[in-house]
Amino acid sequence: MSLWWLVPGLLGLLSIAASPAAATPDAGFTAFIASLWPEAQAQGVSRATFDAETRTLEPDYKLPDLILPGRPATGAPAQAEFVQVPADYLKEASIARLAEEGQRLMAKYRDALSRIEERFGVPGPIVLAIWGRETDFGRYTLPYDGLRVLATQAYVGRRKDTYRTEFILALKLINDGEVTRKDMRASWAGATGLTQFLPSEFYKHAVDFDGDGRKDIWHSVPDALASAARQLVDKGWQRDLRWAYEVRAPANVDCAIGVPEVTKPLGQWLREGFVPVRGQQLSAAEQAEPASLLQPEGIYGPAFLTTKNYFVIKEYNFSDLYVLFVGHLADRMVSPQPFATPWSASTQLRTADVEAMQRHLTRIGLYADKIDGKAGMKTRAALGAYQKAAGLKVDCWPSEAVLRSIAAAR
């Protein structure tokens, strides 16, 4: 079997490892980018566009989530939802400020939002909340050159194959006249536009909603919001279904069942002692909907019964805190009430400590997900199961007590 296609990658690894600071120009990176021409051509990118956009392209080795031989890892993704406890991420001052601005924008874009909800079934506050979370309603200037980010992630990122495709499609975006290189600003992970789409998401979900003949998620608010709604619908959004219900959990709740796989009709959760915090009465249709328990801080802080639409938003950004931010911000645009139960003052352990817990939980058969140092749903449930078996307080939260118990068990 011919291995010619490995040569650019091997050249890149050698050039990175050879020197603490990559030379300019980076020969390995240049060779890698050049090797992508056949794939770009297959996507309809012209030779002129390919050459113009890649001629002076250089990697950015300061980005998060890279694997660089001979250098310390640049670490796990540096997104706030992965390194902050809920009280830090869901700051009341931020929510209140964005909710006030969201109310103003609801009035400004009332016609477009009504038409979006009519066509897609996604409420206006939900898409506005996504816009607010992603780019502060367009006031946040994305800091990176999108093409450079995608090229670097394709070359030395942890998800090279994914970003290889995204880089090619970014070239296609420019080639097709969808966006200029100057306007394709991005996050460190390559998402671009008012509501933060990867190039592949643009081609799957973007909508020309203002009728000007362009799907402009960078400048047209109606296009960006409708495209966000279309993406949610394409991922399974259900019309007339809330994203979640904040509830008070019964004192004897087993926090280890707070995983997506454990679902019951909302009515059954209510019969088991879960009480909506605002005293709202759920209709028969609502009570028939399946829901999962979410306790972001284990037995501490607020509890939620999450519907299918909760997990659809999570497909937009795979973080429970992100979904809570978007869902709660959407609610706050309609009602000024904060979470009924305050977040606790819990502190998160170091990522390395949570990773150590995950490895131990994996070894003893209680955990079968990623080792990533993040105390997500499945990690919290596994911790609860471990705490039961070890005779510890069952709170489904990574703590020093759990860490000491695991260390003693090794």
Side-chain angles (χ1 to χ4, degrees):
M1 179 177 68
S2 173
L3 297 180
W4 64 269
W5 53 274
L6 287 175
V7 172
L10 291 173
L11 284 172
L13 297 182
L14 289 172
S15 68
I16 294 170
S19 169
T24 302
D26 185 313
F29 177 78
T30 300
F32 168 73
I33 295 300
S35 76
L36 300 180
W37 160 241
E39 294 170 54
Q41 184 181 35
Q43 285 291 338
V45 177
S46 72
R47 186 78 221 196
T49 296
F50 185 88
D51 289 346
E53 299 303 335
T54 63
R55 185 176 295 113
T56 60
L57 196 60
E58 296 178 358
D60 182 355
Y61 292 136
K62 295 180 181 179
L63 293 173
D65 220 22
L66 304 182
I67 301 174
L68 303 173
R71 304 186 195 181
T74 56
Q79 288 177 269
E81 53 264 30
F82 294 136
V83 298
Q84 290 179 315
V85 295
D88 292 333
Y89 187 80
L90 294 153
K91 281 185 166 54
E92 172 58 23
S94 297
I95 297 284
R97 177 183 65 81
L98 289 169
E100 183 178 356
E101 177 66 8
Q103 289 170 337
R104 187 185 70 79
L105 293 170
M106 281 177 66
K108 180 177 180 180
Y109 295 104
R110 188 179 309 280
D111 177 63
L113 292 170
S114 295
R115 291 189 295 115
I116 287 170
E117 182 164 5
E118 181 180 357
R119 177 172 168 183
F120 298 108
V122 182
I126 290 288
V127 290
L128 280 176
I130 288 174
W131 182 24
R133 175 62 262 183
E134 295 291 358
T135 59
D136 195 15
F137 298 122
R139 289 176 292 204
Y140 174 66
T141 301
L142 294 163
Y144 296 102
D145 171 358
L147 201 64
R148 187 184 187 196
V149 166
L150 295 171
T152 305
Q153 294 286 1
Y155 183 50
V156 288
R158 294 177 186 273
R159 296 182 291 151
K160 293 179 184 178
D161 291 343
T162 295
Y163 279 105
R164 184 185 187 108
T165 299
E166 298 297 345
F167 173 69
I168 298 298
L169 291 177
L171 288 171
K172 180 175 173 64
L173 281 174
I174 296 171
N175 185 85
D176 292 351
E178 302 287 0
V179 65
T180 64
R181 171 80 173 274
K182 178 183 177 183
D183 284 345
M184 197 165 64
R185 304 301 298 174
S187 67
W188 69 263
T192 184
L194 296 173
T195 48
Q196 290 282 271
F197 278 34
L198 287 168
S200 63
E201 292 168 338
F202 176 92
Y203 281 109
K204 290 175 185 174
H205 312 298
V207 176
D208 171 21
F209 203 70
D210 60 15
D212 69 351
R214 295 188 60 216
K215 301 173 183 178
D216 187 0
I217 64 170
W218 297 272
H219 306 99
S220 168
V221 172
D223 284 6
L225 298 183
S227 298
R230 165 84 180 277
Q231 182 171 167
L232 293 176
V233 169
D234 290 347
K235 291 178 176 179
W237 182 270
Q238 290 185 205
R239 186 184 293 264
D240 299 324
L241 179 66
R242 274 190 59 78
W243 65 280
Y245 299 82
E246 186 184 351
V247 293
R248 287 192 175 87
N252 62 347
V253 64
D254 179 2
C255 57
I257 66 172
V259 290
E261 293 78 10
V262 177
T263 63
K264 305 174 189 179
L266 275 162
Q268 184 174 338
W269 289 106
L270 300 186
R271 288 189 292 274
E272 292 176 2
F274 290 82
V275 180
V277 296
R278 307 296 181 194
Q280 67 261 52
Q281 299 297 309
L282 276 59
S283 68
E286 286 178 296
Q287 292 194 41
E289 290 289 345
S292 300
L293 174 63
L294 171 68
Q295 293 179 292
E297 292 186 319
I299 65 172
Y300 315 107
F304 304 86
L305 295 177
T306 60
T307 70
K308 179 178 179 179
N309 281 350
Y310 176 94
F311 295 99
V312 172
I313 300 174
K314 195 170 179 178
E315 287 291 315
Y316 203 102
N317 182 310
F318 200 76
S319 159
D320 290 312
L321 295 183
Y322 177 89
V323 185
L324 287 169
F325 193 108
V326 166
H328 184 55
L329 176 56
D331 288 348
R332 291 287 288 275
M333 292 179 199
V334 179
S335 168
Q337 295 171 313
F339 291 114
T341 302
W343 297 105
S344 76
S346 61
T347 56
Q348 180 64 280
L349 294 178
R350 294 180 308 157
T351 297
D353 291 334
V354 179
E355 286 180 351
M357 289 182 182
Q358 290 172 328
R359 290 192 188 92
H360 184 75
L361 294 169
T362 299
R363 282 194 297 270
I364 62 177
L366 294 178
Y367 181 72
D369 206 22
K370 292 184 291 186
I371 308 295
D372 57 7
K374 303 163 191 170
M377 281 182 173
K378 294 186 177 182
T379 298
R380 294 194 302 269
L383 284 169
Y386 176 82
Q387 288 167 328
K388 290 180 196 175
L392 301 174
K393 177 182 178 180
V394 181
D395 63 6
C396 297
W397 188 251
S399 64
E400 292 288 349
V402 176
L403 199 61
R404 288 193 298 269
S405 175
I406 287 175
R410 288 174 183 163

